[in-house]
Amino acid sequence: MERQEAEAKLSSLLDAARKEAPIPFSPRDAERAMAVLLTTDDLWEAVRLSHAPMRFLCAFWNQMVKENLLEATDGRLRLTDTGRDFALALGISPAREAVCDTCEGRGVDFRKLFRETAERFIAICQNRPEAIQDYDQGYVTEATTLARIAFVWQRGDLEGKEVIVLGDDDLMSVAAALTGAPKRVLALDIDERLISFINEVAEREGLTNLQAIRHDLREPIPDEWLGAFDTFLCDPTESFVGFKAFVERGLLCLKGVGSAGYFGLTHVESSLDKWARIQKFILESGAVITDLRDDFSGYVNWGYIETMRSWDWLPTKIVPQKVWYCSALYRIELLCKPKVENKRLEGNIFEDEEAATT
Amino acid sequence: MERQEAEAKLSSLLDAARKEAPIPFSPRDAERAMAVLLTTDDLWEAVRLSHAPMRFLCAFWNQMVKENLLEATDGRLRLTDTGRDFALALGISPAREAVCDTCEGRGVDFRKLFRETAERFIAICQNRPEAIQDYDQGYVTEATTLARIAFVWQRGDLEGKEVIVLGDDDLMSVAAALTGAPKRVLALDIDERLISFINEVAEREGLTNLQAIRHDLREPIPDEWLGAFDTFLCDPTESFVGFKAFVERGLLCLKGVGSAGYFGLTHVESSLDKWARIQKFILESGAVITDLRDDFSGYVNWGYIETMRSWDWLPTKIVPQKVWYCSALYRIELLCKPKVENKRLEGNIFEDEEAATT
C-alpha cells in the first residue's frame, strides 16, 4: 500500500470513528491505537498500552474490523495482512515498554519507608469490601496504595501532617495511618461498608490517628474541615464535572499556600483535551503541578466489568485477567488561597461522553 | 521553644530572606530548607533534597546562621541545639527518600531497549567536550541521557520519527541515533565543539541519520526546520525568557497535532511560581503536559562551579563530590497548531533573579 492511499484510508477511518465516538481525539491517537496492535493481540493489553481513551479505541478498532484491517475474535485483536500493510505504509512502529521491573515504573520503592508495615497493610486488605458500580468504585493494587503513600511521604506531605482522603476505596487512609507518620488521617466516603471497615481497622490496629466519616462529596464540605488539612488524596471519577467536584473539595480542605493535593487521572476515560482542561483548572485554582507520573496506579479488575458502559463498545468481548486500567498520579501544590467554590452538586456526576466504567 | 515563638521567629527569618532573595517563595519552602537539615549535614545533598530554589535556600540558611540556629563550616550545615528546637517546635520532619535504586527513581529501565548500545554510548562519551560557562552548559549523566531516550522511545516519539535536539551538550542526539530507531536526528547547538564532536561520531559510527548544525537559538528558526519534526528535545536555560525561547523554537519545529516535546526544569533555578508560569505558557501554546517526572535527570558536576553566580551566596563553600543538580523531565504534546512566534531574541537570555549557575 502506498503512503498516500494509506493516509486517505486513515482519514476516512477517523471520520467514521468520529461519528461513533463524539469525543476529542487526534490522528496521533489512531497511531497509538495501531502501534499496540503491532505489539500484542491481547485486547486488554492493547487498551493498557495505547494510552488512548477507550471510547475512541473501540470506535476506531470497530471501523478497522469493518474495513477488513483487523480481526477481533475470542478477545484477540489480529491485524489482517492488509491491516499490517496499512500500519506499515503509515510508518507506524510497535508500541514499546521500558518500565523498571523493581518499582513497576513508579520510581518509588515503598519498602524503603514501609518495611514490615507493608505486610500488615496487605493482610488488612484481605477482608476489604468489594468494588461496586453504584459509586464508580474500582480499587488499586496494594503495591499502588503503598507506593502512593511512600511518594506522599517522600514529598513531605505525610509526616506530622493532617491528611484528608476524599473517597477511599483504595484504603489510602489505612496505609497512611499505619506508617505512624501523620498527625491525623480522615477518610470520607459515601459507602457505609468502607466507613465501617476503616473504623474497625483503626480500632483493631490501635490507629488512634485514623477516622472515617460518611460524606457524600456532592454536598458542600462542612465548616470544620475547611482549611483544616495539609494534604488531600483522592482518585476522582473522571467526568469533568465529577473530577472538578473532587479536586475542588480537596483544595477547600487545605490550609493554604504550600499545602498539597494528589489525584489520579487516566487515558482510558479522559482524552488529552480533557487533561489540558483539567490542567488549566488546576493552574487557575491557584495550584502548580509538581509531579505527573503516568501509569503510577494499577487497578485490580472489578466484578462489574460486563455491565459497564464500555463493554458494549468492545470489538470482541473477554474478561480481563491482568491489570489493564491504569492511572497517572498528579501532585499539586497551592501557591495561593484556592480560588474555588464550596457549592452543592446535583444529579449524576459520574458520566460524560468519555466515561467508560460507569 | 513554644510553637508561637517559633512561628514568630520563622516569620522574621522569612522577611529577612525576602530582602536578600527577591524571588517568590513560601513558608513551605522554608519547611523544605529545614527538613533537609534534619536529614543531612552535607551542603550539596541538602540542596538536592530540598527541591527549593538555591537563591532562597542560601538566603534562608544565611539568616539561620546569623540567628545562631545553624552552623555552616567546612561545607557542613549543622543545626545548633536552638536550631533543632526551632525546627521541632515548628513540627518539621526530616526529609525522606524512597527512590528505587534500580532505575534511580526514573521508572525507566533503559537496558530493556538499548541493550549493548548503552555501552557504545558510554564509550563515545569518554571524549566529549567539557561543559563551559559561556553557554550555561552542564551535561547530565550517561544513565540520564539513555533513560531519557528510552522514555521518548516508550512514548512513541522516537521510532520512525524525525527528531530535533535544541542544544545538545547532553548528547541526546547521539543516543537517539545509536538506537537506529529514528528516521532522522538533527542536533542544533551554538557550540562549535559539540557540532564537530557529534558530526565526527556520526561519521565514525556510521550513523547516517544523525547530523549536527551550528545555530544560535536567539535567532529565528530557518524555514526548512519549521513544522518539519515529530519530536523536539531540549534542556533549556532557566531564565523565563531563555526557557520560553527554547521551548517556543521547539514547538515551531513540530509538524503539528500529536507531535511531542521534552524539556528539563529544576527547582534549583526555578521557583514553583516560575513552574506555574511555564505550565500556563505550555497550555496557552496549545500543548498538554503528559508527563512530569521530577529528579529524572542528574547532572555531572561541571568545572566552573566556583565562578557561578550562586557560589557567592553559599553559607559555606565546598566543591560538590556527588550529583546534586537535578531536573524534572517534562513531556508535552500538541493539541493544535502551536500559538507561538518565531522572533529574534536580543541580549542575555540566561539570567533572571532565580538563575544560579550562570
Side-chain angles (χ1 to χ4, degrees):
Chain A
M1 199 182 291
E2 294 296 317
R3 176 98 190 195
Q4 216 174 341
E5 190 193 339
E7 279 178 357
K9 193 181 259 303
L10 174 62
S11 179
S12 80
L13 282 171
L14 285 168
D15 285 345
R18 209 158 275 128
K19 280 175 199 140
E20 262 195 59
I23 68 165
F25 56 82
S26 75
R28 182 69 197 264
D29 289 308
E31 187 183 322
R32 285 188 264 258
M34 285 185 279
V36 296
L37 302 176
L38 294 171
T39 302
T40 181
D41 64 0
D42 179 311
L43 169 72
W44 293 104
E45 187 71 352
V47 173
R48 182 184 70 80
L49 275 173
S50 72
H51 297 95
M54 195 144 160
R55 180 129 196 216
F56 161 74
L57 280 179
C58 293
F60 189 77
W61 287 338
N62 282 325
Q63 289 306 320
M64 287 185 76
V65 170
K66 214 179 263 181
E67 298 289 327
N68 196 32
L69 300 165
L70 184 65
E71 278 172 17
T73 45
D74 306 326
R76 299 279 144 192
L77 297 175
R78 289 189 191 90
L79 283 167
T80 61
D81 289 344
T82 326
R84 193 165 293 269
D85 280 359
F86 172 60
L88 297 179
L90 289 168
I92 289 168
S93 305
R96 312 262 183 197
E97 279 197 297
V99 168
C100 173
D101 293 327
T102 309
C103 62
E104 297 181 325
R106 299 186 189 95
V108 174
D109 182 355
F110 62 80
R111 289 165 204 87
K112 284 193 178 174
L113 294 176
F114 272 91
R115 300 172 195 277
E116 64 283 4
T117 324
E119 275 69 54
R120 222 168 125 201
F121 178 69
I122 292 165
I124 289 168
C125 289
Q126 299 308 305
N127 304 310
R128 69 196 301 167
E130 265 320 299
I132 51 172
Q133 194 164 15
D134 300 25
Y135 309 123
D136 191 28
Q137 288 174 346
Y139 54 76
V140 298
T141 63
E142 286 134 18
T144 299
T145 296
L146 291 164
R148 276 189 193 159
I149 299 302
F151 190 73
V152 172
W153 200 346
Q154 174 173 257
R155 286 286 176 264
D157 298 319
L158 189 74
E159 199 163 346
K161 303 290 183 174
E162 300 185 80
V163 179
I164 187 164
V165 185
L166 303 134
D168 197 22
D169 51 338
D170 295 335
L171 303 179
M172 291 190 281
S173 66
V174 175
L178 276 171
T179 64
K183 192 164 154 192
R184 175 192 183 197
V185 186
L186 174 64
L188 305 183
D189 207 285
I190 195 172
D191 185 349
E192 284 288 6
R193 301 175 310 150
L194 278 165
I195 302 306
S196 310
F197 181 79
I198 294 167
N199 284 327
E200 277 162 30
V201 167
E203 201 179 328
R204 196 175 59 238
E205 302 279 331
L207 303 170
T208 51
N209 57 352
L210 171 63
Q211 191 191 11
I213 297 178
R214 185 176 183 282
H215 181 76
D216 180 344
L217 283 162
R218 284 172 299 190
E219 296 299 314
I221 296 284
D223 283 355
E224 58 176 320
W225 300 330
L226 291 175
F229 296 87
D230 300 287
T231 308
F232 79 81
L233 310 177
C234 66
D235 201 13
T237 187
E238 296 204 6
S239 74
F240 186 70
V241 174
F243 178 89
K244 249 184 103 210
F246 269 76
V247 175
E248 284 183 343
R249 302 306 194 216
L251 289 170
L252 286 164
C253 293
L254 295 183
K255 291 179 184 171
V257 179
S259 299
Y262 293 79
F263 58 83
L265 189 61
T266 72
H267 296 291
V268 176
E269 307 203 64
S270 295
S271 64
L272 288 180
D273 273 75
K274 201 199 279 178
W275 277 49
R277 270 191 294 152
I278 284 170
Q279 291 173 4
K280 279 178 195 155
F281 150 70
I282 296 298
L283 291 162
E284 282 161 11
S285 303
V288 60
I289 303 162
T290 65
D291 298 273
L292 195 186
R293 301 207 177 194
D294 206 357
D295 293 328
F296 192 98
S297 301
Y299 295 71
V300 175
N301 286 313
W302 49 90
Y304 61 84
I305 196 145
E306 290 164 272
T307 60
M308 73 183 187
R309 193 171 175 226
S310 53
W311 184 258
D312 290 336
W313 309 336
L314 292 172
T316 173
K317 293 172 187 20
I318 194 167
V319 172
Q321 300 301 320
K322 290 196 298 181
V323 170
W324 67 275
Y325 188 94
C326 298
S327 71
L329 181 67
Y330 276 71
R331 177 185 184 273
I332 61 177
E333 183 171 322
L334 274 177
L335 299 174
C336 61
K337 199 170 171 308
K339 297 166 196 153
V340 294
E341 283 174 46
N342 192 19
K343 56 181 183 225
R344 170 170 290 111
L345 288 148
E346 308 285 348
N348 183 340
I349 61 164
F350 297 124
E351 281 178 34
D352 67 9
E353 291 292 355
E354 300 174 17
T357 58
T358 52
Chain B
M1 199 181 293
E2 294 296 316
R3 176 99 190 196
Q4 215 174 341
E5 189 193 339
E7 279 177 359
K9 193 180 260 301
L10 174 61
S11 178
S12 80
L13 281 171
L14 283 168
D15 285 344
R18 208 160 275 128
K19 279 175 199 139
E20 262 195 60
I23 68 166
F25 56 82
S26 75
R28 182 71 196 264
D29 289 307
E31 188 184 322
R32 285 188 263 259
M34 285 185 280
V36 296
L37 302 176
L38 295 171
T39 301
T40 180
D41 64 1
D42 179 312
L43 169 72
W44 293 105
E45 187 71 352
V47 173
R48 183 184 72 79
L49 274 173
S50 72
H51 296 97
M54 196 145 164
R55 181 130 195 213
F56 161 74
L57 280 178
C58 293
F60 188 77
W61 287 338
N62 282 325
Q63 290 305 320
M64 287 184 75
V65 170
K66 214 178 263 181
E67 298 288 327
N68 196 32
L69 301 166
L70 184 65
E71 277 172 16
T73 44
D74 307 325
R76 299 279 144 193
L77 296 176
R78 289 190 191 88
L79 283 167
T80 62
D81 289 344
T82 325
R84 192 166 293 271
D85 280 359
F86 172 59
L88 298 179
L90 289 167
I92 289 169
S93 304
R96 311 264 184 198
E97 278 196 298
V99 168
C100 173
D101 293 326
T102 309
C103 62
E104 298 181 323
R106 299 186 189 96
V108 174
D109 182 355
F110 63 79
R111 290 165 203 86
K112 284 194 179 173
L113 294 176
F114 272 93
R115 301 172 195 275
E116 64 282 5
T117 323
E119 275 69 54
R120 223 169 125 201
F121 177 70
I122 292 165
I124 288 167
C125 289
Q126 299 309 304
N127 304 309
R128 70 197 299 167
E130 266 317 301
I132 52 173
Q133 194 164 15
D134 300 24
Y135 309 122
D136 192 27
Q137 288 175 346
Y139 55 76
V140 297
T141 63
E142 286 134 20
T144 299
T145 296
L146 290 165
R148 277 189 194 160
I149 299 301
F151 189 73
V152 173
W153 200 347
Q154 175 173 257
R155 286 287 177 264
D157 298 320
L158 189 74
E159 199 164 345
K161 303 288 184 175
E162 301 185 81
V163 179
I164 188 164
V165 185
L166 302 133
D168 197 21
D169 51 337
D170 295 335
L171 302 180
M172 291 191 281
S173 66
V174 174
L178 276 171
T179 64
K183 193 163 151 191
R184 176 193 182 195
V185 185
L186 174 64
L188 306 183
D189 207 285
I190 196 173
D191 185 348
E192 283 288 5
R193 301 174 312 150
L194 278 166
I195 302 306
S196 309
F197 181 78
I198 294 168
N199 284 328
E200 277 162 28
V201 167
E203 201 179 328
R204 195 174 61 238
E205 302 279 333
L207 303 170
T208 51
N209 57 351
L210 172 62
Q211 192 191 11
I213 298 179
R214 186 176 184 283
H215 180 77
D216 181 344
L217 283 162
R218 285 172 299 190
E219 296 298 315
I221 295 283
D223 283 354
E224 57 175 322
W225 300 331
L226 291 175
F229 296 87
D230 300 287
T231 308
F232 79 81
L233 311 176
C234 65
D235 201 13
T237 187
E238 296 202 6
S239 74
F240 186 69
V241 174
F243 178 88
K244 249 185 105 211
F246 268 76
V247 174
E248 284 184 342
R249 302 304 195 217
L251 289 170
L252 285 165
C253 292
L254 295 182
K255 291 179 184 172
V257 179
S259 299
Y262 294 80
F263 59 83
L265 189 62
T266 72
H267 296 292
V268 177
E269 307 203 65
S270 295
S271 65
L272 288 181
D273 273 74
K274 201 200 278 180
W275 276 49
R277 270 191 293 151
I278 284 170
Q279 292 174 3
K280 279 178 194 154
F281 150 68
I282 296 297
L283 290 162
E284 282 161 10
S285 303
V288 59
I289 302 163
T290 65
D291 298 274
L292 196 187
R293 301 206 176 195
D294 206 358
D295 292 329
F296 192 99
S297 301
Y299 294 71
V300 175
N301 286 312
W302 49 90
Y304 61 85
I305 196 147
E306 289 164 273
T307 61
M308 72 184 189
R309 193 170 174 225
S310 53
W311 184 259
D312 289 338
W313 308 337
L314 291 172
T316 172
K317 292 170 187 25
I318 194 167
V319 172
Q321 299 300 321
K322 290 197 297 181
V323 169
W324 67 276
Y325 189 93
C326 297
S327 72
L329 181 67
Y330 276 72
R331 178 184 183 273
I332 61 176
E333 183 170 322
L334 273 177
L335 298 174
C336 61
K337 199 171 171 311
K339 297 166 196 153
V340 294
E341 283 174 47
N342 192 19
K343 56 180 183 225
R344 171 170 288 111
L345 289 148
E346 309 286 347
N348 183 339
I349 62 165
F350 298 125
E351 281 178 33
D352 67 8
E353 291 292 357
E354 300 175 17
T357 59
T358 52

